Amino acid sequence: MNRREFLETVVAAVPALGWQGTPANEWGSPVFDLHFHLRQQPAANLAHLDGAGVTKANLLTRAAALEQIKALQSAAPGRFTWFGSYDVSRPDAEQVLTQAAKDGAQGFGEMKFHVAADGPEFRRIYALAADLRVPILIHFQEVDHFPNEGTWATGYAKTFESILKAYPKTTFIGHADAFWANVSADYHNESAYPSGPIARGGVTDRLLANYPNLYGDLSANSGNNMLSRDPDFTADFLRRHQNKLMFGSDCGCADGHGAGIGQANNPAASRLAGKCVARETLTVLKRSATPDVFRKITWDNVHKLLKLPA
Ligand SMILES: [Zn+2]
Ligand SMILES: [Zn+2]
């Protein structure tokens, strides 16, 4: 077979791999969404990816979703990886998460629970993640989105450095309000989404620079808000942490164009009401990063971290 014949074979095989309908060039290079919550219907998952110009996504799932995951993976081969989550405060958490990894989960997440980030419930899961060599994606939040919501993986700014030191073999992926608000050195839990210029030298900036076992997930209003506050800072931040940051959407819209998204449960995030978070964040990344850095953040870094063929 000569080179041309080989290429024709590859092109002919592409529709069979479920890549049809994906506008691969919309963002200039392919895009991987690290933070995509599994939807009930296989078609609803694909509608968001295709609508937003996303090539592949990592499904965040809870225990007992294996059948749905397998159905989606066979409907669209090569487009979905998955992480599994389970309440860390339950006695069987290690057992359930170990089984998820055996079933093909490539990480733990999203881990969003009402316990301290440095408490015993999470510590045993950090150790398990190191043993199983899978990353753990954590939602850090100290400010309610609605009355009495409660806080999630608390104590990030004060205690998480001690965890990074204590679990050097665990790969952590930070996400959500407290993680991204603490990019600014002047943040003290005043609001979920602080605005205005970023004070240099914040906790998250320093931890990303100093700890090889910490990565950042840029999804949700929290990631988009951080990237949108201070354009000069953003460009430099993306350049400095270009090997540690990963694009994710955490978007709940129906079509990849903002349909059906009201942020009703989160009034502080109303700036993104009616918009697709994936599109908004890809747009700010595109404008703030060089093409090389954009490709690392939206594709290469996650492929390296999860050891996926690119
Ligand atoms: Zn989250
Ligand atoms: Zn969307």
Side-chain angles (χ1 to χ4, degrees), residues 35 110 112 139 175 250:
H35 197 122
E110 132 175 51
K112 181 177 179 179
H139 178 112
H175 149 76
D250 202 4

Side-chain angles (χ1 to χ4, degrees), residues 8-84:
E8 279 169 3
T9 311
V10 171
V11 169
V14 166
L17 291 170
W19 290 64
Q20 70 274 33
T22 304
N25 293 322
E26 178 168 1
W27 302 104
S29 52
V31 168
F32 188 111
D33 183 348
L34 174 70
H35 197 122
F36 185 81
H37 290 280
L38 175 67
R39 301 172 183 205
Q40 288 287 330
Q41 300 304 324
N45 296 279
L46 289 164
H48 193 271
L49 268 67
D50 291 345
V54 169
T55 311
K56 299 186 197 173
N58 185 47
L59 304 166
L60 304 182
T61 74
R62 292 178 185 269
L66 191 59
E67 290 306 306
Q68 270 174 279
I69 296 164
K70 297 284 175 205
L72 184 52
Q73 286 180 324
S74 61
R79 294 189 73 179
F80 294 98
T81 56
W82 64 284
F83 283 9

Side-chain angles (χ1 to χ4, degrees), residues 229-247:
R229 291 175 60 180
D230 185 337
D232 289 344
F233 176 85
T234 300
D236 188 50
F237 182 79
L238 296 177
R239 186 187 54 73
R240 286 186 290 113
H241 300 303
Q242 60 183 274
N243 298 318
K244 306 291 283 302
L245 302 174
M246 290 173 283
F247 165 73

Side-chain angles (χ1 to χ4, degrees), residues 48 251 253 256 276-277:
H48 193 271
C251 188
C253 91
C276 175
V277 186

Side-chain angles (χ1 to χ4, degrees), residues 24-296:
N25 293 322
E26 178 168 1
W27 302 104
S29 52
V31 168
F32 188 111
D33 183 348
L34 174 70
H35 197 122
F36 185 81
H37 290 280
L38 175 67
R39 301 172 183 205
Q40 288 287 330
Q41 300 304 324
N45 296 279
L46 289 164
H48 193 271
L49 268 67
D50 291 345
V54 169
T55 311
K56 299 186 197 173
N58 185 47
L59 304 166
L60 304 182
T61 74
R62 292 178 185 269
L66 191 59
E67 290 306 306
Q68 270 174 279
I69 296 164
K70 297 284 175 205
L72 184 52
Q73 286 180 324
S74 61
R79 294 189 73 179
F80 294 98
T81 56
W82 64 284
F83 283 9
S85 177
Y86 191 74
D87 188 341
V88 294
S89 64
R90 291 177 66 165
D92 58 345
E94 286 158 288
Q95 191 192 325
V96 172
L97 289 167
T98 300
Q99 187 60 47
K102 283 184 183 162
D103 289 337
Q106 284 174 289
F108 297 158
E110 132 175 51
M111 306 306 273
K112 181 177 179 179
F113 302 105
H114 295 299
V115 294
D118 69 340
E121 300 90 348
F122 259 125
R123 282 177 181 269
R124 61 196 180 125
I125 306 304
Y126 300 154
L128 180 67
D131 285 349
L132 297 175
R133 296 195 181 88
V134 293
I136 177 165
L137 194 167
I138 305 169
H139 178 112
F140 297 103
Q141 182 185 332
E142 311 274 357
V143 179
D144 285 0
H145 290 172
F146 51 87
N148 306 316
E149 177 186 3
T151 51
W152 308 92
T154 47
Y156 167 74
K158 290 199 169 69
T159 65
F160 201 64
E161 183 165 11
S162 71
I163 293 295
L164 293 168
K165 281 197 178 114
Y167 297 91
K169 291 186 173 157
T170 303
T171 299
F172 295 92
I173 306 174
H175 149 76
D177 308 15
F179 190 78
W180 291 121
N182 278 293
V183 163
S184 193
D186 58 0
Y187 181 67
H188 303 287
N189 296 339
E190 299 89 346
S191 62
Y193 309 113
S195 56
I198 286 176
R200 274 47 173 179
V203 173
T204 298
D205 204 344
R206 190 169 54 76
L207 297 182
L208 283 168
N210 294 347
Y211 292 88
N213 56 333
L214 179 66
Y215 290 76
D217 160 4
L218 292 166
S219 67
N221 184 60
S222 54
N224 184 282
N225 183 65
M226 182 278 290
L227 294 169
S228 304
R229 291 175 60 180
D230 185 337
D232 289 344
F233 176 85
T234 300
D236 188 50
F237 182 79
L238 296 177
R239 186 187 54 73
R240 286 186 290 113
H241 300 303
Q242 60 183 274
N243 298 318
K244 306 291 283 302
L245 302 174
M246 290 173 283
F247 165 73
S249 74
D250 202 4
C251 188
C253 91
D255 60 354
H257 292 274
I261 186 165
Q263 302 282 4
N265 247 347
N266 189 1
S270 61
R271 54 189 285 277
L272 291 180
K275 294 178 174 170
C276 175
V277 186
R279 286 190 166 277
E280 295 301 307
T281 295
L282 287 165
T283 300
V284 70
L285 288 172
K286 193 93 195 156
R287 148 173 105 224
S288 311
T290 63
D292 274 7
V293 170
F294 179 85
R295 190 184 159 101
K296 281 187 176 184

